[in-house]
Coordinates of all heavy atoms in Angstrom, one line a residue:
M19 N 38.9 11.9 -29.1 CA 37.4 11.9 -28.9 C 37.0 12.7 -27.8 O 37.5 12.8 -26.7 CB 36.9 10.4 -28.8 CG 35.9 9.9 -29.8 SD 35.5 8.2 -29.5 CE 34.5 8.3 -28.0
K20 N 35.9 13.5 -28.1 CA 35.3 14.3 -27.1 C 34.5 13.4 -26.0 O 33.9 12.5 -26.3 CB 34.3 15.3 -27.7 CG 34.7 16.8 -27.5 CD 33.9 17.7 -28.2 CE 32.7 18.2 -27.3 NZ 31.8 19.2 -28.1
K21 N 34.8 14.0 -24.9 CA 34.2 13.0 -23.7 C 32.7 13.5 -23.6 O 32.4 14.8 -23.5 CB 34.8 13.3 -22.5 CG 34.2 12.6 -21.3 CD 35.3 11.9 -20.4 CE 34.8 11.2 -19.2 NZ 33.5 10.4 -19.4
I22 N 31.8 12.5 -23.6 CA 30.4 13.0 -23.5 C 30.1 13.0 -21.9 O 30.3 12.0 -21.3 CB 29.5 12.0 -24.2 CG1 29.9 12.0 -25.7 CG2 28.0 12.2 -24.0 CD1 29.2 10.8 -26.6
P23 N 29.5 14.0 -21.5 CA 29.1 14.1 -20.1 C 28.1 13.0 -19.6 O 27.2 12.7 -20.5 CB 28.6 15.5 -19.8 CG 28.3 16.0 -21.2 CD 29.1 15.2 -22.2
E24 N 28.2 12.6 -18.4 CA 27.2 11.6 -18.1 C 26.3 12.3 -17.0 O 26.7 13.1 -16.2 CB 28.0 10.4 -17.4 CG 28.6 9.5 -18.5 CD 29.1 8.2 -17.8 OE1 29.5 8.1 -16.7 OE2 29.2 7.3 -18.7
R25 N 25.0 11.7 -16.9 CA 24.1 12.2 -16.0 C 23.5 10.9 -15.4 O 23.4 10.0 -16.0 CB 23.1 13.1 -16.5 CG 23.6 14.5 -16.8 CD 24.0 15.3 -15.8 NE 24.4 16.7 -16.2 CZ 25.8 17.0 -16.5 NH1 26.7 15.9 -16.5 NH2 26.1 18.1 -16.9
T26 N 22.9 11.1 -14.2 CA 22.2 10.0 -13.6 C 20.8 10.0 -13.7 O 20.2 11.1 -13.4 CB 22.7 10.0 -12.0 OG1 24.0 9.9 -11.9 CG2 22.1 8.7 -11.4
C27 N 20.1 9.0 -14.1 CA 18.6 9.0 -14.2 C 18.1 9.0 -12.9 O 18.5 8.2 -12.0 CB 18.2 7.8 -14.9 SG 16.4 7.4 -14.8
I28 N 17.1 9.9 -12.5 CA 16.6 10.0 -11.1 C 15.6 8.8 -10.9 O 15.1 8.7 -9.8 CB 15.8 11.4 -10.9 CG1 14.8 11.6 -11.9 CG2 16.9 12.5 -10.9 CD1 13.9 12.9 -11.4
G29 N 15.2 8.1 -12.0 CA 14.2 6.9 -11.8 C 15.0 5.8 -11.3 O 14.8 5.2 -10.3
C30 N 15.9 5.2 -12.3 CA 16.5 4.0 -12.0 C 17.9 4.2 -11.5 O 18.6 3.2 -11.0 CB 16.6 3.1 -13.4 SG 17.7 4.0 -14.7
G31 N 18.4 5.4 -11.4 CA 19.7 5.6 -10.8 C 21.0 5.2 -11.7 O 22.0 5.2 -11.2
Q32 N 20.6 4.9 -13.0 CA 21.8 4.4 -13.8 C 22.5 5.8 -14.4 O 21.7 6.6 -14.8 CB 21.2 3.6 -14.8 CG 21.2 2.1 -14.6 CD 20.8 1.4 -15.8 OE1 21.3 1.5 -16.8 NE2 19.7 0.7 -15.6
K33 N 23.8 5.7 -14.5 CA 24.5 6.7 -15.2 C 24.5 6.5 -16.7 O 24.7 5.3 -17.2 CB 25.8 6.8 -14.7 CG 26.1 7.7 -13.6 CD 27.7 8.0 -13.4 CE 27.9 9.0 -12.5 NZ 29.2 9.0 -12.1
K34 N 24.2 7.6 -17.5 CA 24.1 7.2 -18.9 C 24.7 8.6 -19.5 O 24.8 9.7 -18.8 CB 22.7 7.3 -19.3 CG 22.1 5.8 -18.9 CD 20.8 5.7 -19.7 CE 20.2 4.2 -19.3 NZ 19.1 3.9 -20.1
E35 N 25.1 8.4 -20.8 CA 25.5 9.6 -21.5 C 24.4 10.6 -21.7 O 23.2 10.2 -21.9 CB 26.1 9.3 -22.9 CG 27.4 8.5 -22.6 CD 28.0 8.1 -24.0 OE1 27.3 8.0 -25.0 OE2 29.1 7.6 -24.0
K36 N 24.7 11.9 -21.5 CA 23.7 12.9 -21.5 C 22.5 12.9 -22.6 O 21.5 13.1 -22.5 CB 24.4 14.3 -21.3 CG 23.6 15.4 -20.6 CD 24.5 16.6 -20.3 CE 23.7 17.9 -20.5 NZ 24.6 19.0 -20.6
P37 N 23.2 12.7 -23.9 CA 22.1 12.7 -25.0 C 21.2 11.6 -25.0 O 20.2 11.6 -25.6 CB 23.0 12.5 -26.3 CG 24.5 13.0 -25.7 CD 24.5 12.6 -24.3
N38 N 21.4 10.5 -24.1 CA 20.4 9.4 -24.0 C 19.5 9.6 -22.8 O 18.8 8.7 -22.6 CB 21.2 8.1 -23.8 CG 22.2 7.8 -24.9 OD1 21.7 8.1 -26.0 ND2 23.3 7.3 -24.6
L39 N 19.5 10.7 -22.3 CA 18.6 11.0 -21.2 C 17.6 12.1 -21.6 O 18.0 12.9 -22.5 CB 19.3 11.4 -19.9 CG 20.1 10.2 -19.2 CD1 21.1 10.8 -18.3 CD2 19.1 9.2 -18.6
I40 N 16.6 12.3 -20.9 CA 15.7 13.5 -21.2 C 15.9 14.4 -20.0 O 15.9 14.0 -18.9 CB 14.2 12.9 -21.1 CG1 14.0 11.8 -22.1 CG2 13.2 14.0 -21.3 CD1 14.0 12.3 -23.5
R41 N 15.8 15.6 -20.2 CA 15.9 16.7 -19.3 C 14.5 17.1 -18.8 O 13.7 17.4 -19.7 CB 16.7 17.8 -19.7 CG 16.9 18.9 -18.7 CD 18.0 20.0 -19.2 NE 18.4 20.9 -18.2 CZ 18.0 22.1 -18.0 NH1 17.3 22.5 -19.1 NH2 18.3 22.9 -17.2
I42 N 14.4 17.0 -17.5 CA 13.1 17.6 -17.0 C 13.5 19.0 -16.4 O 14.5 19.0 -15.7 CB 12.3 16.8 -15.9 CG1 12.0 15.5 -16.6 CG2 11.1 17.4 -15.2 CD1 11.5 14.4 -15.5
V43 N 12.8 20.1 -16.6 CA 13.2 21.3 -16.1 C 12.1 22.0 -15.3 O 11.0 21.9 -15.6 CB 13.5 22.3 -17.3 CG1 12.5 22.6 -18.3 CG2 14.3 23.5 -16.7
H44 N 12.5 22.5 -14.2 CA 11.6 23.4 -13.4 C 11.9 24.8 -13.7 O 12.9 25.3 -13.3 CB 11.9 23.0 -11.9 CG 10.8 23.7 -11.0 ND1 11.2 24.1 -9.6 CD2 9.8 24.3 -11.1 CE1 10.3 24.6 -9.1 NE2 9.3 24.8 -9.9
S45 N 11.0 25.4 -14.5 CA 11.3 26.8 -14.9 C 11.2 27.8 -13.8 O 10.4 27.5 -12.7 CB 10.3 27.2 -16.0 OG 10.4 26.3 -17.0
P46 N 11.7 29.0 -13.9 CA 11.6 30.1 -12.8 C 10.1 30.5 -12.6 O 9.8 30.9 -11.6 CB 12.5 31.2 -13.3 CG 13.4 30.5 -14.4 CD 12.7 29.4 -15.0
D47 N 9.3 30.2 -13.6 CA 7.8 30.5 -13.4 C 7.1 29.4 -12.8 O 5.9 29.3 -12.7 CB 7.2 31.0 -14.8 CG 7.1 29.9 -15.7 OD1 7.6 28.7 -15.4 OD2 6.6 30.0 -16.8
D48 N 7.8 28.4 -12.1 CA 7.2 27.4 -11.4 C 6.6 26.4 -12.2 O 5.5 25.6 -11.7 CB 6.4 27.9 -10.2 CG 6.2 26.8 -9.2 OD1 7.1 26.0 -8.9 OD2 5.1 26.7 -8.5
T49 N 6.8 26.2 -13.5 CA 6.2 25.1 -14.2 C 7.3 24.1 -14.6 O 8.4 24.4 -14.7 CB 5.6 25.7 -15.6 OG1 6.6 26.2 -16.4 CG2 4.5 26.6 -15.4
F50 N 6.8 22.8 -14.7 CA 7.7 21.7 -15.0 C 7.3 21.3 -16.3 O 6.2 21.4 -16.9 CB 7.3 20.6 -14.1 CG 7.9 20.7 -12.8 CD1 7.1 21.4 -11.8 CD2 9.1 20.2 -12.4 CE1 7.6 21.5 -10.5 CE2 9.5 20.3 -11.1 CZ 8.8 21.0 -10.2
S51 N 8.4 21.0 -17.2 CA 8.3 20.4 -18.5 C 9.4 19.7 -18.9 O 10.4 19.7 -18.3 CB 8.1 21.7 -19.4 OG 9.2 22.6 -19.3
I52 N 9.2 18.9 -19.8 CA 10.2 18.1 -20.6 C 11.0 19.0 -21.7 O 10.4 19.7 -22.2 CB 9.7 16.9 -21.3 CG1 8.8 16.1 -20.3 CG2 10.6 16.0 -22.1 CD1 9.3 14.8 -19.8
D53 N 12.3 19.0 -21.5 CA 13.1 19.9 -22.2 C 14.0 19.1 -23.2 O 15.2 18.7 -22.9 CB 14.0 20.6 -21.2 CG 14.9 21.6 -21.9 OD1 14.7 21.9 -23.3 OD2 16.0 22.0 -21.4
P54 N 13.4 18.8 -24.4 CA 14.2 17.9 -25.4 C 15.4 18.6 -25.8 O 16.5 17.9 -26.2 CB 13.4 17.7 -26.5 CG 12.0 18.1 -26.0 CD 12.2 19.0 -24.9
T55 N 15.5 19.9 -25.8 CA 16.8 20.7 -26.4 C 17.7 20.7 -25.3 O 19.0 21.1 -25.5 CB 16.4 22.0 -26.9 OG1 15.9 22.8 -25.7 CG2 15.2 22.0 -27.9
G56 N 17.4 20.6 -23.9 CA 18.3 20.8 -22.8 C 18.8 22.2 -22.6 O 19.8 22.5 -22.0
R57 N 18.0 23.2 -23.2 CA 18.4 24.7 -23.2 C 17.4 25.6 -22.4 O 17.8 26.7 -22.2 CB 18.6 25.2 -24.5 CG 19.7 24.6 -25.5 CD 20.0 25.5 -26.6 NE 20.9 24.8 -27.4 CZ 20.6 24.1 -28.4 NH1 19.5 24.0 -28.8 NH2 21.5 23.5 -29.1
K58 N 16.4 24.9 -21.9 CA 15.6 25.7 -21.1 C 16.2 26.1 -19.8 O 16.9 25.6 -19.2 CB 14.2 25.0 -20.8 CG 13.2 24.9 -22.1 CD 12.0 24.3 -21.5 CE 11.1 24.0 -22.8 NZ 9.9 23.2 -22.4
N59 N 15.7 27.4 -19.5 CA 16.1 28.0 -18.2 C 15.5 27.3 -17.0 O 14.3 27.0 -17.0 CB 15.7 29.4 -18.1 CG 16.7 30.4 -17.8 OD1 17.8 29.9 -17.1 ND2 16.5 31.7 -18.1
G60 N 16.3 27.1 -16.0 CA 15.8 26.6 -14.7 C 16.6 25.4 -14.1 O 17.6 24.9 -14.8
R61 N 16.1 24.8 -13.1 CA 16.8 23.7 -12.6 C 16.4 22.4 -13.3 O 15.2 22.2 -13.6 CB 16.4 23.6 -11.1 CG 17.0 22.4 -10.3 CD 16.4 22.3 -9.0 NE 17.2 23.1 -8.2 CZ 18.3 22.8 -7.3 NH1 18.7 21.6 -7.5 NH2 18.7 23.7 -6.6
G62 N 17.4 21.6 -13.7 CA 17.1 20.4 -14.5 C 17.3 19.1 -13.8 O 18.2 19.0 -12.8
A63 N 16.7 18.1 -14.2 CA 17.0 16.7 -13.6 C 16.9 15.9 -14.8 O 16.2 16.1 -15.8 CB 16.1 16.2 -12.6
Y64 N 17.6 14.8 -14.8 CA 17.7 13.9 -16.0 C 16.8 12.5 -15.7 O 17.0 12.0 -14.6 CB 19.1 13.6 -16.5 CG 19.8 14.9 -17.0 CD1 20.2 15.9 -16.1 CD2 19.6 15.2 -18.3 CE1 20.8 17.0 -16.5 CE2 20.1 16.3 -18.8 CZ 20.6 17.3 -18.1 OH 21.2 18.5 -18.5
I65 N 16.4 12.0 -16.8 CA 15.6 10.7 -16.7 C 15.8 9.9 -18.0 O 15.9 10.7 -19.1 CB 14.3 11.0 -16.3 CG1 13.5 9.7 -15.8 CG2 13.3 11.8 -17.5 CD1 12.3 10.0 -14.9
C66 N 15.8 8.7 -18.0 CA 15.8 7.8 -19.2 C 14.4 8.2 -20.1 O 13.5 8.6 -19.4 CB 15.8 6.4 -19.0 SG 17.0 5.8 -17.9
N67 N 14.5 7.9 -21.3 CA 13.3 8.1 -22.0 C 12.5 7.0 -22.0 O 12.4 6.1 -22.9 CB 13.7 8.3 -23.6 CG 12.5 8.7 -24.5 OD1 11.3 8.7 -24.0 ND2 12.9 8.9 -25.7
D68 N 11.9 6.8 -20.8 CA 11.3 5.5 -20.5 C 10.1 5.8 -19.3 O 10.5 6.3 -18.3 CB 12.1 4.6 -19.9 CG 11.5 3.1 -19.6 OD1 10.4 3.0 -19.5 OD2 12.3 2.1 -19.5
S69 N 8.8 5.6 -19.6 CA 7.9 5.9 -18.6 C 8.1 5.1 -17.4 O 7.7 5.7 -16.3 CB 6.5 5.7 -19.1 OG 6.4 5.6 -20.5
A70 N 8.7 4.0 -17.4 CA 9.0 3.2 -16.2 C 9.9 4.0 -15.2 O 9.7 4.0 -13.9 CB 9.5 1.9 -16.5
C71 N 10.9 4.7 -15.7 CA 11.8 5.5 -14.9 C 11.1 6.6 -14.3 O 11.2 7.0 -13.2 CB 13.0 6.0 -15.7 SG 14.1 4.5 -16.0
L72 N 10.2 7.2 -15.2 CA 9.4 8.3 -14.6 C 8.5 7.9 -13.4 O 8.4 8.6 -12.5 CB 8.6 9.0 -15.6 CG 7.7 10.3 -15.2 CD1 8.6 11.4 -14.8 CD2 6.9 10.8 -16.4
E73 N 7.8 6.7 -13.6 CA 7.1 6.2 -12.6 C 7.8 6.1 -11.2 O 7.3 6.3 -10.2 CB 6.4 4.8 -12.9 CG 5.4 5.1 -14.0 CD 4.3 6.1 -13.6 OE1 3.8 6.2 -12.4 OE2 3.9 7.1 -14.5
K74 N 9.1 5.4 -11.4 CA 9.8 5.2 -10.3 C 10.2 6.6 -9.6 O 10.2 6.6 -8.3 CB 11.2 4.5 -10.7 CG 11.0 3.0 -10.8 CD 12.5 2.5 -11.2 CE 12.3 1.2 -11.9 NZ 13.7 0.8 -12.7
A75 N 10.6 7.5 -10.5 CA 10.9 8.9 -9.8 C 9.8 9.5 -9.1 O 9.9 10.0 -8.0 CB 11.5 9.8 -11.0
I76 N 8.6 9.3 -9.6 CA 7.4 10.0 -8.9 C 7.1 9.2 -7.6 O 7.0 9.8 -6.5 CB 6.2 9.8 -10.0 CG1 6.3 10.8 -11.1 CG2 4.8 10.1 -9.0 CD1 5.4 10.5 -12.2
K77 N 7.1 7.8 -7.6 CA 6.9 7.0 -6.5 C 7.9 7.3 -5.3 O 7.6 7.3 -4.2 CB 7.0 5.5 -6.9 CG 5.6 5.0 -7.4 CD 5.4 3.6 -7.0 CE 4.1 3.0 -7.8 NZ 4.5 2.5 -9.1
R78 N 9.2 7.3 -5.8 CA 10.3 7.6 -4.8 C 10.5 9.0 -4.4 O 11.3 9.3 -3.7 CB 11.6 7.0 -5.3 CG 11.6 5.6 -5.6 CD 13.0 5.4 -6.1 NE 13.3 3.8 -6.5 CZ 14.3 3.5 -7.3 NH1 15.0 4.4 -7.8 NH2 14.3 2.3 -7.5
K79 N 9.6 9.9 -4.9 CA 9.7 11.4 -4.6 C 11.1 11.8 -5.1 O 11.6 12.8 -4.5 CB 9.5 11.6 -3.2 CG 8.2 11.0 -2.6 CD 7.2 12.2 -2.6 CE 5.9 11.7 -2.0 NZ 4.7 12.4 -2.8
A80 N 11.6 11.2 -6.0 CA 12.9 11.7 -6.5 C 12.7 13.0 -7.2 O 13.8 13.8 -7.2 CB 13.5 10.6 -7.6
L81 N 11.6 13.3 -7.8 CA 11.5 14.6 -8.4 C 11.5 15.7 -7.5 O 12.2 16.7 -7.5 CB 10.3 14.6 -9.2 CG 10.1 13.9 -10.5 CD1 8.7 13.7 -10.9 CD2 10.9 14.5 -11.6
D82 N 10.8 15.4 -6.2 CA 10.7 16.4 -5.2 C 12.2 16.7 -4.6 O 12.5 17.8 -4.4 CB 9.9 16.0 -3.9 CG 8.4 15.5 -4.4 OD1 8.4 14.9 -5.5 OD2 7.5 15.9 -3.7
R83 N 12.9 15.6 -4.6 CA 14.4 15.8 -4.1 C 15.2 16.5 -5.1 O 15.9 17.5 -4.7 CB 14.9 14.5 -3.7 CG 14.4 13.9 -2.4 CD 15.4 12.8 -1.8 NE 15.5 11.7 -2.8 CZ 14.6 10.7 -2.8 NH1 13.7 10.6 -2.0 NH2 14.8 9.7 -3.6
A84 N 15.1 16.2 -6.3 CA 15.9 16.9 -7.4 C 15.5 18.3 -7.4 O 16.4 19.0 -7.7 CB 15.6 16.1 -8.7
F85 N 14.3 18.7 -7.3 CA 14.0 20.0 -7.6 C 13.7 20.9 -6.3 O 13.4 21.9 -6.3 CB 12.7 20.0 -8.4 CG 12.8 19.6 -9.8 CD1 12.3 18.5 -10.1 CD2 13.6 20.4 -10.7 CE1 12.5 17.9 -11.5 CE2 13.8 19.9 -12.0 CZ 13.2 18.7 -12.3
K86 N 13.8 20.1 -5.1 CA 13.6 20.6 -3.8 C 12.2 21.5 -3.6 O 12.2 22.5 -3.0 CB 14.7 21.7 -3.5 CG 16.1 21.1 -3.5 CD 17.2 21.9 -3.1 CE 18.5 21.3 -2.6 NZ 19.1 20.5 -3.8
V87 N 11.2 20.9 -4.2 CA 9.8 21.3 -4.1 C 9.0 20.1 -4.2 O 9.4 19.0 -4.5 CB 9.5 22.3 -5.3 CG1 10.1 23.6 -5.2 CG2 9.5 21.7 -6.6
T88 N 7.7 20.3 -3.8 CA 6.8 19.2 -3.8 C 6.1 19.2 -5.2 O 5.6 20.1 -5.7 CB 5.6 19.4 -2.8 OG1 6.3 19.3 -1.5 CG2 4.6 18.1 -2.9
V89 N 6.4 18.0 -5.9 CA 5.7 17.9 -7.2 C 4.4 17.3 -7.0 O 4.2 16.3 -6.6 CB 6.6 16.9 -8.1 CG1 6.1 16.7 -9.4 CG2 8.0 17.7 -8.3
S90 N 3.4 18.1 -7.5 CA 1.9 17.7 -7.4 C 1.5 16.5 -8.2 O 2.3 16.3 -9.3 CB 1.0 18.7 -7.6 OG 1.0 19.1 -9.0
E91 N 0.5 15.9 -8.0 CA 0.1 14.8 -9.0 C -0.3 15.2 -10.2 O -0.1 14.6 -11.3 CB -1.2 14.1 -8.3 CG -1.8 13.0 -8.9 CD -0.6 11.9 -9.4 OE1 0.2 11.5 -8.6 OE2 -0.8 11.3 -10.5
D92 N -0.8 16.4 -10.4 CA -1.2 17.1 -11.7 C 0.2 17.3 -12.5 O 0.1 17.0 -13.7 CB -1.9 18.5 -11.5 CG -3.3 18.3 -11.0 OD1 -3.7 17.2 -11.0 OD2 -3.8 19.4 -10.7
T93 N 1.2 17.8 -11.8 CA 2.6 18.0 -12.5 C 3.0 16.6 -13.0 O 3.5 16.5 -14.0 CB 3.4 18.6 -11.6 OG1 2.9 19.8 -11.1 CG2 4.7 18.8 -12.1
A94 N 2.9 15.7 -12.1 CA 3.4 14.3 -12.5 C 2.7 13.8 -13.7 O 3.3 13.3 -14.7 CB 3.3 13.4 -11.3
Q95 N 1.4 14.1 -13.7 CA 0.6 13.6 -14.9 C 1.0 14.1 -16.1 O 1.1 13.5 -17.2 CB -0.8 13.7 -14.5 CG -1.9 13.1 -15.5 CD -1.6 11.6 -15.9 OE1 -1.3 10.9 -15.0 NE2 -1.9 11.1 -17.1
A96 N 1.1 15.6 -16.0 CA 1.5 16.3 -17.2 C 2.9 15.8 -17.9 O 3.1 15.8 -19.0 CB 1.7 17.7 -16.8
L97 N 3.7 15.6 -16.9 CA 5.1 15.0 -17.3 C 4.9 13.7 -17.9 O 5.6 13.4 -19.0 CB 6.0 15.0 -16.1 CG 6.6 16.3 -15.5 CD1 7.3 16.2 -14.3 CD2 7.4 17.1 -16.6
R98 N 4.0 12.8 -17.4 CA 3.9 11.5 -18.0 C 3.4 11.6 -19.5 O 3.9 11.1 -20.4 CB 2.7 10.8 -17.3 CG 3.1 10.1 -16.1 CD 1.9 9.4 -15.4 NE 2.1 8.9 -14.2 CZ 1.7 9.3 -13.1 NH1 0.7 10.2 -13.1 NH2 1.9 8.9 -11.9
E99 N 2.5 12.7 -19.7 CA 1.8 12.8 -21.0 C 3.0 13.3 -22.0 O 3.0 13.1 -23.1 CB 0.6 13.7 -20.9 CG -0.6 12.9 -20.4 CD -1.6 13.7 -20.0 OE1 -1.7 14.9 -20.4 OE2 -2.6 13.3 -19.1
E100 N 3.9 14.3 -21.4 CA 4.8 14.9 -22.3 C 5.8 13.9 -22.7 O 6.3 13.8 -23.9 CB 5.5 16.1 -21.6 CG 4.8 17.4 -21.8 CD 5.8 18.6 -21.4 OE1 6.8 18.7 -22.1 OE2 5.6 19.1 -20.3
L101 N 6.3 13.1 -21.7 CA 7.2 12.1 -22.0 C 6.7 10.9 -23.1 O 7.4 10.6 -24.1 CB 7.6 11.2 -20.8 CG 8.8 10.2 -20.9 CD1 10.1 11.0 -21.1 CD2 8.9 9.4 -19.6
I102 N 5.3 10.6 -23.0 CA 4.8 9.8 -24.0 C 4.9 10.3 -25.3 O 5.0 9.5 -26.4 CB 3.4 9.3 -23.6 CG1 3.5 8.4 -22.4 CG2 2.6 8.6 -24.7 CD1 2.0 8.2 -21.5
Q103 N 4.7 11.7 -25.5 CA 4.6 12.2 -26.7 C 5.9 12.5 -27.5 O 6.0 12.8 -28.7 CB 3.9 13.6 -26.6 CG 2.3 13.4 -26.6 CD 1.6 14.7 -26.0 OE1 2.2 15.7 -26.1 NE2 0.5 14.5 -25.5
L104 N 6.9 12.2 -26.7 CA 8.4 12.4 -27.4 C 8.5 11.3 -28.3 O 8.2 10.2 -28.2 CB 9.4 12.3 -26.2 CG 9.6 13.6 -25.3 CD1 10.6 13.2 -24.4 CD2 9.8 14.8 -26.1
D105 N 9.3 11.6 -29.3 CA 9.7 10.7 -30.3 C 10.8 9.9 -29.8 O 11.7 10.3 -29.0 CB 10.4 11.4 -31.6 CG 9.3 12.0 -32.4 OD1 8.3 11.6 -32.5 OD2 9.8 13.0 -33.0
R106 N 10.8 8.6 -29.9 CA 11.7 7.7 -29.4 C 12.7 7.3 -30.5 O 12.5 7.2 -31.5 CB 11.2 6.5 -29.0 CG 10.1 6.8 -27.9 CD 9.9 5.6 -27.0 NE 9.1 6.1 -25.9 CZ 9.0 5.6 -24.6 NH1 9.8 4.6 -24.4 NH2 8.2 6.0 -23.7
Ligands
ZN218 ZN1 16.3 5.4 -15.8

């Protein structure tokens, strides 16, 4: 059996298999987006497909740490909306 790589959710801190997490990407053009394909260019961080985890990540500044930049409230809001629109 092929080993499935694990990543840590930046919200709840749980390790999960990569396909069960959502990738958030900070693109070279300084935009943040949800990357369902996992193929976008840029620095990525992983999170559960769960708005509660995104809220935790925003509150704890985990996004800022993961991406080494300050994530604005507007960006956080855009990510919330993108996450909600994903198919579960
Ligand atoms: Zn989580």
Side-chain angles (χ1 to χ4, degrees):
M19 234 175 79
K20 242 174 92 175
K21 181 137 173 50
I22 299 170
E24 290 190 332
R25 292 291 182 273
T26 305
C27 168
I28 59 168
C30 63
Q32 276 184 48
K33 266 196 175 170
K34 294 195 175 182
E35 290 173 350
K36 212 170 137 185
N38 296 326
L39 292 165
I40 303 285
R41 184 171 186 251
I42 299 173
V43 66
H44 181 206
S45 303
D47 65 359
D48 201 31
T49 56
F50 284 86
S51 54
I52 304 249
D53 176 20
T55 65
R57 291 200 188 93
K58 281 188 194 169
N59 225 345
R61 178 185 281 270
Y64 290 85
I65 194 160
C66 304
N67 188 356
D68 186 339
S69 338
C71 286
L72 182 61
E73 288 312 314
K74 280 184 202 163
I76 293 166
K77 278 214 186 84
R78 292 178 183 165
K79 304 264 177 216
L81 287 167
D82 302 46
R83 282 198 299 275
F85 294 108
K86 298 185 165 59
V87 293
T88 301
V89 175
S90 69
E91 182 52 40
D92 285 354
T93 300
Q95 185 57 32
L97 289 174
R98 279 184 189 109
E99 284 165 16
E100 270 197 71
L101 188 69
I102 287 164
Q103 282 164 19
L104 288 181
D105 287 332
R106 301 205 171 210

